[in-house]
Amino acid sequence: PDVTHIDGEVDPLRDTETIFHELRLKDIEYLNQNIDKVAKIVARMGDKDKVAKNEHETLLRARELLKEGKNIRQCTWANKEIEALNKHLLLTSKPVIYLINMGEKDYIKKKGKWLMKIKQYLDQSDPGATMIPFSGALEQRLLDDPDNAKTFLEENKTQSNLDKIIVQGFKALGLQYFFTVGEDEVRAWTIPKHTKAPQAAGKIHSDMERGFIKAEVYKYDDIVEHKTEGAVKSAGRYRMEGKNYEMLDGDIVMIKFNVTDAAKKK
């Protein structure tokens, strides 16, 4: 069914401004409550609690910037300020990807009434932002008729953008995958970027992190190229990594660990 827009007509630029304005108001409301709480700690502890003092000053600055119409994620912050802000998870501090939902015909033609206007708007208001055009109607067509999806895309010289949306979403959130492989299944595990091997092992089971010895690692691209694990080893692409190894996106991992009964009881 058709849904009437609250403002009477669709205007993506106005709607984007409205959304961010409302998010800023919500952040200000949150800060008003929490600044008072932190202020009481500072009043009681004075300079003795440097963490609380820094937090109080940071939240006051954040509120003023929000009142000026600025989003937290677009402002410059010192490391100690970032530590304070990370405790509060403000809405305007979160990463943003702009998804431009187009009609099927416009998406295939790569032209639309608003596409260039949105691009120009983002270049001015949010430089470097990720903007992904897609068509909800086209994606629904592909889901409804999977047998003919490939033919339709080839005939219309277009493609689905769902994979790109997923990849860019993970990138914006600072997440990545690693894989474990068994005889009858492959599992994908989600971890933050820069996660060390023992902590990645802990996503599978806490015993693996506690008793971590080493990780046997190769890349997804390696198995695609060489077809079998044996061929990956023969090509010298199979590695042994220790506790300081920083996991990479697409790693395929075998965790070696040992946890004694005594260690478990502790």
Side-chain angles (χ1 to χ4, degrees):
D2 293 333
V3 178
T4 303
H5 194 288
I6 190 171
D7 292 317
E9 61 179 359
V10 174
D11 182 338
L13 309 186
R14 178 204 59 212
D15 293 347
T16 300
E17 289 287 353
T18 299
I19 290 169
F20 282 125
H21 177 68
E22 292 178 353
L23 292 177
R24 287 191 292 270
L25 290 178
K26 198 66 181 177
D27 278 348
I28 291 170
E29 178 185 336
Y30 171 88
L31 287 172
N32 285 339
Q33 297 172 358
N34 284 271
I35 284 172
D36 290 343
K37 294 178 183 177
V38 180
K40 291 178 181 178
I41 298 174
V42 174
R44 185 170 67 252
M45 301 299 294
D47 291 336
K48 293 180 181 179
D49 194 334
K50 293 182 179 180
V51 173
K53 185 178 180 182
N54 170 62
E55 183 178 356
H56 185 244
E57 292 172 352
T58 300
L59 296 185
L60 286 172
R61 181 181 173 227
R63 184 170 64 181
E64 288 307 307
L65 289 168
L66 288 165
K67 288 180 178 180
E68 293 171 11
K70 298 175 182 177
N71 298 318
I72 298 301
R73 66 185 174 82
Q74 293 173 288
C75 300
T76 302
W77 303 94
N79 288 337
K80 66 177 184 178
E81 291 176 317
I82 292 173
E83 290 179 7
L85 290 171
N86 282 345
K87 294 172 59 179
H88 296 278
L89 302 176
L90 297 171
L91 295 174
T92 60
S93 70
K94 298 182 182 299
V96 173
I97 294 176
Y98 297 88
L99 303 181
I100 316 303
N101 188 13
M102 305 171 66
E104 186 177 293
K105 291 181 180 179
D106 285 345
Y107 177 77
I108 291 173
K109 291 187 297 183
K110 299 181 180 178
K111 292 181 180 179
K113 175 183 176 181
W114 290 101
L115 199 56
M116 283 308 301
K117 293 179 181 179
I118 294 171
K119 176 72 167 58
Q120 291 167 359
Y121 167 79
L122 293 180
D123 286 344
Q124 292 179 352
S125 65
D126 198 353
T130 299
M131 177 182 116
I132 305 177
F134 79 108
S135 171
L138 181 140
E139 300 298 346
Q140 189 63 54
R141 174 195 289 271
L142 300 179
L143 286 172
D144 290 343
D145 190 10
D147 294 337
N148 295 308
K150 183 177 180 181
T151 301
F152 177 85
L153 294 175
E154 289 174 350
E155 289 178 349
N156 288 278
K157 297 179 180 178
T158 190
Q159 61 184 10
S160 166
N161 252 353
L162 279 186
D163 286 349
K164 185 175 182 180
I165 292 171
I166 293 169
V167 169
Q168 290 300 318
F170 261 65
K171 183 178 178 181
L173 293 170
L175 300 174
Q176 63 187 30
Y177 283 123
F178 75 95
F179 300 94
T180 54
V181 180
E183 290 185 6
D184 57 355
E185 72 167 2
V186 175
R187 290 283 303 272
W189 306 87
T190 303
I191 53 173
K193 287 184 178 180
H194 310 301
T195 297
K196 297 290 181 69
Q199 286 68 53
K203 293 289 289 186
I204 305 170
H205 196 285
S206 58
D207 282 352
M208 288 188 173
E209 180 177 0
R210 189 163 60 249
F212 181 89
I213 299 172
K214 64 181 178 181
E216 298 178 2
V217 184
Y218 57 98
K219 300 293 294 179
Y220 172 80
D221 291 341
D222 295 333
I223 198 70
V224 171
E225 178 181 355
H226 298 285
K227 309 304 181 187
T228 69
E229 190 175 283
V232 171
K233 290 180 179 178
S234 297
R237 309 301 292 273
Y238 198 94
R239 315 186 312 275
M240 304 294 177
E241 301 289 355
K243 293 182 178 180
N244 291 322
Y245 175 67
E246 195 170 282
M247 301 289 289
L248 299 176
D249 194 33
D251 277 346
I252 299 174
V253 183
M254 170 70 75
I255 304 295
K256 299 292 185 181
F257 70 104
N258 181 40
V259 179
T260 64
D261 290 339
K264 286 182 180 180
K265 290 178 181 178
K266 290 180 181 178

